[in-house]
């Protein structure tokens, strides 16, 4: 929340300039479809709550919308990937050791669908960073471990839509 206020303030003061990216239209269509689906929600409050969690996707766009130097871009993407790994490991631990009544991983999210879809996107970010030609061997190693832990979380979410989305995203990266 505070980061968004800071970004809006910098944009207003013309200290930061936003540019368009290829992610703008898909994100807008995704958000619009989510808003339209609220009309069919059985519990409108829960629908708004889940839709607000998808706004985490805006975080994916920040490194691409603004002219950020490479080290800061790496920090932002690294933070997102680290969060994803922590969430995945927590979801797997909860699934296998603590939640005996639940048969799907959901990590820090309230439902497995959100967990799986966010992990599919995080895996694509990790894969794109790996395919960009990272020279540091330690960073490449950590990214590979992150990719496999995210994949384990994605599989444990048992979310078919997230699996399909990852497959389509992978084809888009190739």
């Amino acid at each position: 929340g505070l980061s968004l206020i800071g970004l809006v303030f910098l944009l207003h003061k013309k200290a930061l300039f936003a540019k368009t990216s290829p992610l703008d239209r898909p994100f807008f269509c995704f958000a619009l479809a989510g808003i339209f689906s609220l009309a069919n929600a059985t519990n409108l409050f829960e629908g708004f709550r889940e839709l607000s969690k998808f706004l985490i996707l805006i975080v994916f766009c920040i490194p691409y919308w603004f002219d950020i130097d490479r080290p800061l871009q790496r920090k932002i993407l690294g933070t997102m990937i680290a969060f994803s790994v922590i969430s995945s490991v927590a979801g797997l631990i909860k699934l296998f050791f603590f939640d005996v009544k639940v048969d799907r991983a959901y990590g820090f999210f309230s439902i497995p669908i959100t967990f799986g879809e966010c992990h599919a996107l995080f895996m694509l970010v990790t894969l794109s960073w790996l395919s960009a030609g990272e020279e540091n061997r330690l960073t490449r190693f950590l990214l590979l471990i992150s990719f496999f832990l995210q994949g384990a979380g994605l599989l444990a979410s048992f979310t078919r839509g997230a699996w399909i989305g990852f497959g389509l995203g992978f084809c888009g990266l190739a």
Side-chain angles (χ1 to χ4, degrees), residues 84-85 87-93 95-96 103-107 112 115-116 119-120 123 144-159 163 166:
S84 172
V85 170
S87 176
S88 181
V89 169
L92 292 169
I93 289 172
L95 176 68
F96 292 119
D103 57 350
R104 298 166 66 182
Y106 57 91
F115 177 78
H119 273 73
M123 284 180 68
L144 278 171
I145 290 174
S146 299
F147 181 76
F148 287 113
L149 288 173
Q150 292 164 342
L154 176 65
L155 288 175
S157 73
F158 291 103
T159 306
W163 298 343
F166 174 75

Side-chain angles (χ1 to χ4, degrees), residues 109-127:
F109 299 91
S110 58
I111 58 175
I113 295 169
T114 312
F115 177 78
E117 290 168 346
C118 284
H119 273 73
L121 291 170
F122 283 129
M123 284 180 68
L124 292 171
V125 168
T126 306
L127 196 60

Side-chain angles (χ1 to χ4, degrees), residues 30-72:
F30 178 72
L32 192 62
I35 291 169
F36 285 151
S37 71
L38 287 176
N40 295 327
T42 55
N43 183 349
L44 193 58
F45 177 74
E46 186 70 24
F48 272 113
R49 217 177 86 198
E50 289 303 319
L51 183 62
S52 69
K53 291 179 183 174
F54 281 117
L55 294 179
I56 194 173
L57 297 176
I58 292 175
V59 176
F60 286 104
C61 300
I62 289 174
Y64 305 106
W65 279 344
F66 301 106
D67 287 323
I68 298 174
D69 59 343
R70 184 75 173 140
L72 183 57

